[in-house]
Amino acid sequence: MKDIAPVSLELNGIRLEPLAPHHAEGLRAAASDGQLWQLRVTSVPEPDQVEQYIFKAIEMRPSRFAFAVVDIASGEVLGSTSYHDVLPEVGRVEIGYTWYAKRCQRSHVNTSCKLLLLAHAFDTLDCALVGLRTDNFNHASQAAIERLGAKKDGVLRHHALRRDGTVRDTVMYSITRGEWPEIAAHLRYKLAQRPIVALPRAGEAPC
């Protein structure tokens, strides 16, 4: 597996760019769309904690590489996603810390981001396996991961703290290099069947 270096990736009007301090205001607006920090099964930062969130993400390199999700047409920040738990010695990375403004959920955004990150991991970084994980009560996230074609590896019980202080079980998924060509074809087919429409700006009706 090759070393992960800062990189920008683009597809379907979406750009993933290395998360940096200048994304703070945009990230704050994205989190405020739906008051996402109130969801107990996610790690979305509260508005006054965005700068700390960005600093911590940068500080975690090289075990985590965080991206801002940006709408190319408007320049608006739509959310964030990351490579994390990077293990070069076994060729493994995970994709997580993922969240989007409410108006962008159930759009082409998540599928486009996952296709970008998976393609970069397998085709450029030569990863052997990409993992994904989620809260046992985050059923929407589990369904989204399963729609990608990832295989469920199991559940780590009593594994991590939630933001409200309770302890969650973590549902683990993965995709191997051998499975990637078929999953890549499936994701590209899904995107081809779904019209890529302009995303609403902050304050407009949801997509």
Side-chain angles (χ1 to χ4, degrees), residues 56-72:
K56 182 177 180 181
I58 295 172
E59 189 179 44
M60 289 174 70
R61 292 179 183 175
S63 65
R64 176 186 173 193
F65 287 82
F67 297 89
V69 181
V70 178
D71 177 42
I72 295 174

Side-chain angles (χ1 to χ4, degrees), residues 39 51 92 125 141 158:
L39 301 175
E51 285 83 3
R92 177 188 174 104
L125 301 178
S141 178
H158 204 73

Side-chain angles (χ1 to χ4, degrees), residues 25 46 75 128 143 154 171:
E25 193 58 39
E46 295 184 28
V171 188

Side-chain angles (χ1 to χ4, degrees), residues 154-168:
V155 179
L156 300 177
R157 302 185 64 188
H158 204 73
H159 179 245
L161 280 174
R162 297 188 182 95
R163 64 194 313 141
D164 63 1
T166 59
V167 182
R168 80 178 201 182

Side-chain angles (χ1 to χ4, degrees), residues 35-50:
Q35 297 185 327
L36 302 178
W37 63 88
Q38 296 184 3
L39 301 175
R40 67 189 293 263
V41 294
T42 67
S43 57
V44 181
E46 295 184 28
D48 62 351
Q49 296 177 352
V50 165

